[in-house]
Amino acid sequence: MDITTVTDVVRRPPDRPGELWRDGDAWVAGGTWLFSDQQPDVRRLIDLAPLGWTELLSSSAGLEIGAMCTIRDLYAFRAPAEWPAAALIPTSCEAFLASFKVWNTATVGGNICMALPAGPMITMTVALEATYSLWAADGTERTVAAIDFVTGNHATVLAPGELLRTVHIPAHALQKRTAHRRFTLTKMGRSTIFMIGTQSPATDDLLLTITAGTTHPVRLGFDSMPTPEALRHRIDSISDDVWFDDPNGSPGHRHHLATYYAEQIRAELSMGVQE
């Protein structure tokens, strides 16, 4: 879609692009959403592609993902054998409601900053206890836990002109066992709910992440494996206004799916080491 309100495009921003920010600006990474809808308030585009924030680096500390790493490149990543939870990376990439053409341009950071309930990069990074490095327009930096970044449907903690620079997934989270469940109304449709459970090695703890069915990610932590009743109680305690309502599912339907899949995840991770 043409954005007819744009009067200027910055194609070679400085290394700290925030210093350029002014009202009416929009950052362009992959642009797969930006150019898919009307943007009546946008007057200038700032192209981030020349900055090359496409890192995908593994180390003993974990995995560092540049905000402009494409979904295609993330999907192609091959993790060390000692990171079983990295299997969630291709699983989350496959949860996109997108063609291979979108995969070639859509970015990890763009999907996160869109803050849609069904954003699979949000699901993955919250479940794997990631942190985000944010660059403010005034040159300062801050680190935000992935679980705290999205505050609602299409809403985040980002201030005007602030950028997501990198995503860090810690090694300890990548060493966990995992189980996941996802429901869609159609085979290739948008997620009605996407849930991931993780468990630390040699323990019976449980960290359960609920997304797509809620307006923002919900993460439930247990020091030891809960009983079915305790798990159901925690899900029932989620505020009614957190459950998302759109054509892909009503709040009641999503609540039901969360309860149903949570017990499956609990049972799977209660069985011991995965084969």
Side-chain angles (χ1 to χ4, degrees):
M1 176 178 289
D2 292 333
I3 306 179
T4 58
T5 58
V6 171
T7 60
D8 192 17
V9 178
V10 178
R11 297 196 179 278
R12 296 188 180 277
D15 290 341
R16 285 281 182 168
E19 64 191 48
L20 296 177
W21 185 263
R22 66 191 188 201
D23 288 344
D25 283 352
W27 306 117
V28 179
T32 54
W33 176 81
L34 187 69
F35 293 104
S36 72
D37 200 358
Q38 299 180 51
Q39 310 294 342
D41 297 326
V42 175
R43 300 292 179 269
R44 185 174 68 158
L45 302 176
I46 302 176
D47 187 1
L48 301 177
L51 299 177
W53 297 346
T54 59
E55 308 96 331
L56 195 55
L57 305 172
S58 60
S59 69
S60 60
L63 180 63
E64 200 83 10
I65 307 172
M68 288 188 293
C69 174
T70 65
I71 303 308
R72 177 196 61 192
D73 289 344
L74 182 64
Y75 188 75
F77 173 70
R78 295 296 175 261
E82 61 269 23
W83 288 357
L88 292 172
I89 293 175
T91 295
S92 299
C93 290
E94 291 166 358
F96 267 89
L97 176 58
S99 70
F100 72 92
K101 292 181 287 186
V102 173
W103 275 32
N104 288 339
T105 55
T107 63
V108 173
N111 186 252
I112 291 170
C113 291
M114 273 296 299
L116 297 177
M121 297 296 98
I122 299 169
T123 309
M124 177 190 75
T125 55
V126 170
L128 293 178
E129 305 166 58
T131 55
Y132 303 154
S133 175
L134 308 182
W135 285 7
D138 63 6
T140 58
E141 300 180 27
R142 61 174 173 146
T143 299
V144 174
I147 185 63
D148 298 324
F149 182 79
V150 175
T151 57
N153 179 24
H154 204 37
T156 72
V157 299
L158 285 171
E162 196 168 27
L163 282 162
L164 171 59
R165 173 60 184 87
T166 55
V167 175
H168 175 72
I169 301 177
H172 75 82
L174 290 161
Q175 293 164 0
K176 290 187 172 186
R177 299 174 55 229
T178 69
H180 70 275
R181 296 293 187 274
R182 177 172 170 258
F183 178 87
T184 61
L185 291 177
T186 61
K187 182 178 180 181
M188 301 298 290
R190 177 172 289 185
S191 300
T192 297
I193 199 163
F194 191 2
M195 298 174 60
I196 294 174
T198 65
Q199 186 178 67
S200 302
T203 76
D204 67 344
D205 65 359
L206 174 65
L207 192 64
L208 182 68
T209 299
I210 305 171
T211 62
T214 50
T215 56
H216 60 78
V218 173
R219 202 166 64 189
L220 308 177
F222 303 86
D223 292 333
S224 58
M225 190 60 69
T227 63
E229 294 76 19
L231 182 56
R232 188 183 316 115
H233 174 73
R234 288 287 297 275
I235 293 173
D236 289 345
S237 297
I238 297 172
S239 176
D240 290 344
D241 60 3
V242 172
W243 297 103
F244 191 45
D245 187 7
D246 78 347
N248 295 289
S250 67
H253 178 50
R254 285 170 152 128
H255 185 171
H256 166 75
L257 289 172
T259 303
Y260 178 71
Y261 286 140
E263 173 53 24
Q264 291 188 358
I265 290 171
R266 188 200 71 84
E268 183 174 332
L269 291 178
S270 294
M271 293 172 61
V273 178
Q274 295 168 323
E275 296 297 332

